[in-house]
Amino acid sequence: MKIIVVGATHAGTFATQQILTAHPDYEVTVYERNDTLSFLSCGIALWVGGHVSDPNKMFYSSPEALTALGATMAMQHEVTSIDAATRTVSVTDLVSGEQTLDHYDKLVFTPGSAPIVPPLPGIKSLNLYLCKNWGDAKRLEAKTADIRSVIVIGAGYIGAELAEQYALAGKDVTLIDALPRVLAKNFDQNITDRVEDLYRAHGTKLALGEKVVAFADDESGITVTTDKGSYAADIAILAIGFRPATTLLKGQVDMLPNGAILTDDYMRTSRPEIFVAGDSAAVHYNPTGKADYIPLATNAVRQGILVGANIEVATEKYLGTQATSAVELFDHCIAASGLTQEGAKARGVAAATVDIEQPYRPEFMTSTTNVLASLTYDPATRRVLGGAFYSQHDVSMSANVISMAIQTQMTIDQLAMVDFFFQPNFDQPLSWISAVAMAAKARADEA
Ligand SMILES: Cc1cc2nc3c(=O)[nH]c(=O)nc-3n(C[C@H](O)[C@H](O)[C@H](O)COP(=O)(O)OP(=O)(O)OC[C@H]3O[C@@H](n4cnc5c(N)ncnc54)[C@H](O)[C@@H]3O)c2cc1C
């Protein structure tokens, strides 16, 4: 069996590992346009902020490790076209320029995503940076010591983390987003108001509800113009999202309107000999039961593993995702799984949300701090649809609990009665998850 893998960061690396572990007799060729693989881009902001012990540890695999498993590694090779009808790929060696053709029995398509770069005036500015891969990471890290000011465009997780690290490093930071709140797609206003206060308390200028319209280099750096104002800094970083890098298969397999490739439960596309995983793929979003685009390393890793499990025979089903995530900003833990109230509204899902706030452990302890917890549920079925948490205490694992509740289709009534432990070092007799579920139950009973 001849397998071609296109792209190897997370999805491609995990798929290759799984395929060759289960089928050491398979012939697997991996084409990757970079000279490294498995880069953990989640470490970029931490590296820029000086929290990475050794940047080489931001890679968990290597071309040598996959070669040792039996793969033929074609690093610095770009796949430039795919003809699904003849199962042929065209490849360019990025070092020599040589062009070749290769054939597959099955294709593992894992070229991930590309940063969204809108065609605005000045977009080619030398002082405008991206934040996606190892090359971007090296460029940003090398620049950090020299800059006194930075504009971060995009207040999603990536921009939020970069802005935080630059603020903590004493830089003059401006965070711009077209949406009116930071982390607007991840959290409701009860939490984002508090996060915005943290930025302001650390001197970060927030330019929210402002759309960038142009960039211009000047002798001291870059000016970013929005529809409401103009901001100058030494550098700017564009972090406004990603789109699936799927043009090579356009018109050849079924896709969502944004280009994310649809799969069945076994990671097969509408052409069953082509598998897709990671940021190129749509996910099954359990809170809505629909296909959605949620580019996360967690999805890429799990889907890559499933490609390996299903490459010969369809055996292991994909369970879908809740988009469970967490971020630490200014010593606060902010974590979520599933739908927020606003996310539900945007997707046309009927949902109710309750909030509670309580000390995470009893006040007789010499120290404690509050947890703000939100639970979103379907008022008709009482099923849990989402949950979000904010605290100076590490409440990140609460998002994983909510993830399991959504995945197993628990109701708020069941979640309220789950056997969670109590011990005063860790929580209250009624833990914050039980408490928010009980508040939801009380609200649902009133309605
Ligand atoms: C700054 C940052 C922080 C993040 N933090 C988190 C986090 O904390 N948690 C989380 O879950 N997710 C996080 N993510 C998202 C996560 O990194 C992505 O979801 C993940 O990288 C997707 O993996 P992938 O293998 O599908 O695709 P990609 O990472 O996009 O990798 C695709 C690979 O394919 C190669 N390729 C593309 N086209 C071709 C071609 N034509 N020929 C050959 N090779 C090709 C590329 O060079 C690349 O190596 C973060 C992302 C960024 C950018």
Side-chain angles (χ1 to χ4, degrees):
M1 173 80 71
K2 169 73 186 282
I3 309 284
I4 287 179
V5 179
V6 183
T9 293
H10 302 312
T13 299
F14 269 85
T16 304
Q17 284 169 353
Q18 287 296 121
I19 291 169
L20 285 166
T21 305
H23 307 284
D25 54 315
Y26 275 21
E27 194 188 330
V28 178
T29 301
V30 179
Y31 291 108
E32 166 54 53
R33 80 179 154 212
N34 292 326
D35 58 0
T36 57
L37 52 82
S38 80
F39 176 60
L40 287 161
S41 35
C42 49
I44 299 177
L46 292 166
W47 191 29
V48 163
H51 304 288
V52 166
S53 59
D54 172 359
N56 296 315
K57 293 186 177 164
M58 291 157 83
F59 299 87
Y60 56 81
S61 186
S62 63
E64 295 73 27
L66 296 188
T67 303
L69 282 176
T72 301
M73 298 303 296
M75 303 303 291
Q76 294 179 281
H77 282 66
E78 178 163 357
V79 173
T80 52
S81 69
I82 298 171
D83 183 357
T86 58
R87 301 191 184 190
T88 307
V89 304
S90 315
V91 182
T92 300
D93 179 332
L94 298 176
V95 179
S96 68
E98 189 194 352
Q99 297 186 348
T100 48
L101 292 180
D102 200 356
H103 299 272
Y104 58 84
D105 297 312
K106 293 191 177 174
L107 181 74
V108 175
F109 191 68
T110 46
S113 59
I116 294 174
V117 180
L120 295 173
I123 191 74
K124 296 233 152 64
S125 160
L126 294 176
N127 294 311
L128 183 62
Y129 291 72
L130 296 175
C131 180
K132 162 78 178 169
N133 56 29
W134 176 229
D136 299 332
K138 285 189 285 188
R139 277 187 286 278
L140 281 173
E141 203 276 337
K143 194 80 187 161
T144 301
D146 299 342
I147 56 167
R148 284 187 303 117
S149 54
V150 55
I151 297 167
V152 179
I153 303 153
Y157 270 133
I158 292 166
E161 287 182 309
L162 284 168
E164 182 229 14
Q165 286 302 322
Y166 284 119
L168 291 174
K171 314 290 181 195
D172 179 0
V173 182
T174 305
L175 180 57
I176 302 179
D177 201 296
L179 294 173
R181 299 185 289 111
V182 299
L183 298 174
K185 292 195 177 148
N186 306 93
F187 297 94
D188 284 325
Q189 192 170 351
N190 62 335
I191 288 180
T192 61
D193 276 354
R194 296 194 189 192
V195 177
E196 288 167 18
D197 287 345
L198 292 176
Y199 279 108
R200 290 191 191 98
H202 287 82
T204 302
K205 225 175 286 138
L206 297 179
L208 301 172
E210 297 197 26
K211 208 167 170 193
V212 172
V213 294
F215 303 91
D217 279 335
D218 49 53
E219 58 288 352
S220 60
I222 184 168
T223 298
V224 178
T225 306
T226 71
D227 54 357
K228 295 196 181 125
S230 168
Y231 306 90
D234 294 331
I235 64 166
I237 306 171
L238 193 62
I240 58 170
F242 297 91
R243 55 171 64 95
T246 56
T247 42
L248 293 175
L249 284 179
K250 200 165 180 215
Q252 304 192 79
V253 295
D254 294 345
M255 297 179 177
L256 287 177
N258 80 336
I261 297 174
L262 292 162
T263 69
D264 66 7
D265 286 342
Y266 302 97
M267 306 319 303
R268 295 175 299 197
T269 67
S270 50
R271 281 183 176 267
E273 76 283 8
I274 300 181
F275 290 71
V276 64
D279 282 11
S280 295
V283 294
H284 181 82
Y285 187 48
N286 287 323
T288 58
K290 293 189 178 145
D292 214 320
Y293 186 59
I294 301 172
L296 282 173
T298 47
N299 298 331
V301 167
R302 277 194 294 272
Q303 291 180 335
I305 291 170
L306 285 175
V307 167
N310 296 315
I311 194 86
E312 189 161 86
V313 185
T315 44
E316 194 175 341
K317 276 192 180 186
Y318 170 49
L319 297 179
T321 179
Q322 285 73 245
T324 309
S325 61
V327 64
E328 187 181 297
L329 296 172
F330 305 109
D331 290 328
H332 284 70
C333 169
I334 311 155
S337 185
L339 286 171
T340 58
Q341 184 59 226
E342 289 232 347
K345 208 185 294 166
R347 290 170 171 86
V349 174
T353 300
V354 290
D355 303 328
I356 59 129
E357 185 159 8
Q358 68 177 40
Y360 83 93
R361 63 183 184 180
E363 287 180 297
F364 70 71
M365 298 295 287
T366 51
S367 71
T368 185
T369 189
N370 275 3
V371 182
L372 172 61
S374 292
L375 194 66
T376 298
Y377 60 95
D378 179 333
T381 63
R382 299 168 75 107
R383 275 199 189 145
V384 177
L385 296 177
F389 304 88
Y390 171 94
S391 179
Q392 270 186 292
H393 181 57
D394 178 2
V395 290
S396 54
M397 287 301 138
S398 306
N400 284 342
V401 172
I402 298 299
S403 178
M404 287 189 69
I406 301 169
Q407 181 135 11
T408 55
Q409 306 198 334
M410 262 192 184
T411 62
I412 49 176
D413 312 271
Q414 290 166 328
L415 183 61
M417 283 293 140
V418 169
D419 174 28
F420 293 130
F421 75 88
F422 162 56
Q423 206 285 332
N425 283 298
F426 303 103
D427 64 354
Q428 301 254 23
L430 204 53
S431 81
W432 58 89
I433 300 178
S434 310
V436 77
M438 285 196 176
K441 185 167 151 42
R443 173 80 62 79
D445 287 344
E446 274 166 24

